Amino acid sequence: MREGDALSLPKGWEIKKLGEVCEIRSGRDYKKIIDPNGKFPIIGSAGKPMGFTNEYICEAGTTIIGRKGTINSPMIIETNFWNVDTAFGFHASEELDKRFLYYFCMGFDFTELDKGSGRPSLVKSDLKKIQIPIPPLPEQKRIVSILDRAFEAIDKAKANAEQNLINAKELFESYLQGVFENKGDDWEEKLLKDIAIDFSRGKSKHRPRNWDGLYGGKYPFIQTGEVRNANKYVLDYSKTYNEIGLAQSKLWKKGSICITIAANIAETAILGFDSCFPDSIIGLQVDPQVANLDFTYYLLQYFKAELQKLGKGSAQDNINLGTFENHFFPIPKLVEKQKEIVKKLDLLSAETQKLEQIYQRKINDLEELKKSILQKAFNGEL
């Protein structure tokens, strides 16, 4: 609860400020106390050990909250630990059960107190003002017992749904692997340039610097993130080129394949509209007389891992047109054969996507169930 929120609670419950029932311990720099042979973990805002030390700031059972960065993922640490200066330790007083405090933090939206202009940030004085409903200690322990059992069951169900989600994705990947590993005599090896009308790199986005904002220009400008986040087709964009920009760039036709060659390399997608893109993307306009567009897309999906291994760079991995100069790909000789394969892949892809949506929806529903249970718990409704 935030200061000023009203709530009707059962008899015997009180509402107090967090600073009255909880000591909020600031983290400190760890560079001088780090010891690879230390007994206690050094914990940051993400809750992961960053090293070890023989000193500690917080006792076991303290809830950790990020001061900067990850500010809305509370964790209870079951050992003494040193928290770094990007994390707060919430140490419960004697009138507050440690796990009751942890569950309260799980149900509180700390993003409402974000004071960061760029990176999320919390201020201790704001945290102290948070209002927490406090029942008698025996009732706290009863609530914690219920929540422990409920969350254990929910986490188990969530883990099963997450594994099913992984299985659904692997089902398609396994079939895709079978297609390209069980080739027949009617296949041949080809370079990408042999199946392309156009196979070239985009123009640098720094030449020109005259793009417009979203929909400000006439011509969509596709970036690597929009290729990476596409399902199969690039259907969204955040930048556009005007006429001057287009004159110094190039307009790729709808249906061209994009291949990212920097950062997250070898990600592929098909353009859903005529557009421009930077030199961090290679464009491939498939010759329909030689190859099927969708088959080529699936071909590059299968070889993504192999292409990623070819990436080199001092700052970040990258590939370029030279990567493909001597790289042969297996392709059925007949386009009709390619289309037959695409039909099967499209069908299986659609079915696996349905499964993925079902399991993702289950995962989301389980998270909502957690929120609902926590709300009831701190409204005195359990």
Side-chain angles (χ1 to χ4, degrees):
M1 296 174 63
R2 300 186 67 174
E3 189 174 20
D5 290 348
L7 181 65
S8 176
L9 293 172
K11 185 177 179 180
W13 287 51
E14 297 180 89
I15 293 179
K16 293 190 176 183
K17 291 181 180 179
L18 201 57
E20 298 175 315
V21 294
C22 169
E23 181 186 354
I24 302 176
R25 299 179 182 176
S26 298
R28 299 199 296 272
D29 182 61
Y30 65 95
K31 295 182 181 65
K32 292 182 179 179
I33 54 89
I34 192 167
D35 182 347
N37 299 314
K39 296 185 295 183
F40 310 116
I42 299 168
I43 306 292
S45 59
K48 296 178 180 178
M50 302 168 63
F52 292 88
T53 178
N54 285 310
E55 302 178 40
Y56 64 89
I57 297 173
C58 297
E59 293 87 358
T62 298
T63 294
I64 194 168
I65 301 288
R67 182 180 72 85
K68 285 187 177 295
T70 307
I71 64 171
N72 206 36
S73 298
M75 283 160 283
I76 188 167
I77 309 299
E78 302 293 0
T79 183
N80 297 346
F81 67 95
W82 179 286
N83 49 312
V84 304
D85 55 6
T86 59
F88 290 119
F90 283 27
H91 182 72
S93 67
E94 291 184 358
E95 66 179 294
L96 196 59
D97 182 271
K98 293 176 180 179
R99 290 191 66 79
F100 186 85
L101 172 60
Y102 163 65
Y103 280 125
F104 172 79
C105 291
M106 279 191 67
F108 187 85
D109 185 4
F110 287 94
T111 62
E112 294 181 358
L113 302 178
D114 181 12
K115 290 290 178 63
S117 57
R119 191 183 183 196
S121 179
L122 296 175
V123 178
K124 186 187 288 190
S125 58
D126 289 340
L127 298 174
K128 288 182 175 181
K129 296 175 185 177
I130 295 172
Q131 293 181 328
I132 176 172
I134 302 177
L137 198 55
E139 177 65 4
Q140 291 180 40
K141 293 184 180 300
R142 185 187 75 86
I143 291 170
V144 166
S145 177
I146 294 172
L147 291 176
D148 280 346
R149 293 196 303 272
F151 276 49
E152 182 182 2
I154 290 171
D155 288 341
K156 184 177 180 180
K158 184 180 175 184
N160 289 336
E162 288 172 340
Q163 185 58 54
N164 286 334
L165 179 61
I166 292 171
N167 292 343
K169 292 178 179 179
E170 289 180 347
L171 174 66
F172 178 77
E173 291 169 2
S174 175
Y175 186 83
L176 186 65
Q177 180 179 352
V179 167
F180 290 101
E181 291 188 357
N182 297 303
K183 306 180 292 292
D185 295 334
D186 54 348
W187 289 57
E188 60 186 343
E189 301 284 321
K190 283 185 176 290
L191 299 170
L192 287 187
K193 66 178 183 180
D194 295 333
I195 64 170
I197 295 174
D198 191 354
F199 184 47
S200 58
R201 194 169 177 175
K203 301 289 185 179
S204 172
K205 67 180 179 183
H206 304 295
R207 300 189 315 270
R209 293 179 180 271
N210 52 5
W211 62 36
D212 296 316
L214 181 59
Y215 308 127
K218 182 179 178 182
Y219 307 101
F221 181 82
I222 303 305
Q223 301 173 90
T224 54
E226 286 149 350
V227 176
R228 181 175 65 252
N229 295 326
N231 184 8
K232 182 177 181 180
Y233 296 93
V234 178
L235 299 173
D236 198 12
Y237 54 94
S238 59
K239 297 286 186 181
T240 56
Y241 262 167
N242 54 29
E243 295 287 350
I244 299 173
L246 179 64
Q248 300 176 61
S249 186
K250 177 180 180 178
L251 190 65
W252 284 82
K253 291 183 179 181
K254 173 183 177 181
S256 298
I257 294 177
C258 297
I259 308 170
T260 61
I261 59 174
N264 290 75
I265 59 177
E267 299 287 350
T268 56
I270 301 171
L271 286 178
F273 33 70
D274 294 354
S275 49
C276 307
F277 44 73
D279 58 2
S280 57
I281 297 174
I282 288 176
L284 171 62
Q285 186 182 351
V286 176
D287 183 349
Q289 301 299 317
V290 182
N292 175 265
L293 170 64
D294 294 282
F295 178 86
T296 307
Y297 165 78
Y298 285 125
L299 173 76
L300 291 169
Q301 284 286 302
Y302 173 69
F303 280 96
K304 179 167 70 173
E306 185 172 330
L307 292 171
Q308 287 173 337
K309 290 178 183 176
L310 299 175
K312 297 177 181 179
S314 56
Q316 60 183 15
D317 288 345
N318 62 79
I319 55 178
N320 52 42
L321 278 172
T323 306
F324 298 94
E325 284 181 351
N326 300 307
H327 199 290
F328 286 87
F329 295 87
I331 298 175
K333 297 175 183 177
L334 299 177
V335 175
E336 288 305 314
K337 172 71 173 180
Q338 298 173 32
K339 290 179 180 179
E340 289 176 14
I341 293 171
V342 166
K343 280 184 181 180
K344 295 176 182 177
L345 288 170
D346 279 348
L347 182 61
L348 184 58
S349 177
E351 291 301 317
T352 53
Q353 284 179 32
K354 286 180 184 177
L355 286 175
E356 288 173 24
Q357 289 171 1
I358 289 170
Y359 295 129
Q360 188 60 60
R361 191 159 55 245
K362 285 184 178 181
I363 293 168
N364 295 341
D365 288 345
L366 288 166
E367 283 300 312
E368 288 301 316
L369 179 58
K370 278 187 175 183
K371 293 178 184 178
S372 175
I373 293 173
L374 286 170
Q375 184 177 10
K376 289 180 181 295
F378 292 97
N379 286 348
E381 298 173 0
L382 280 186

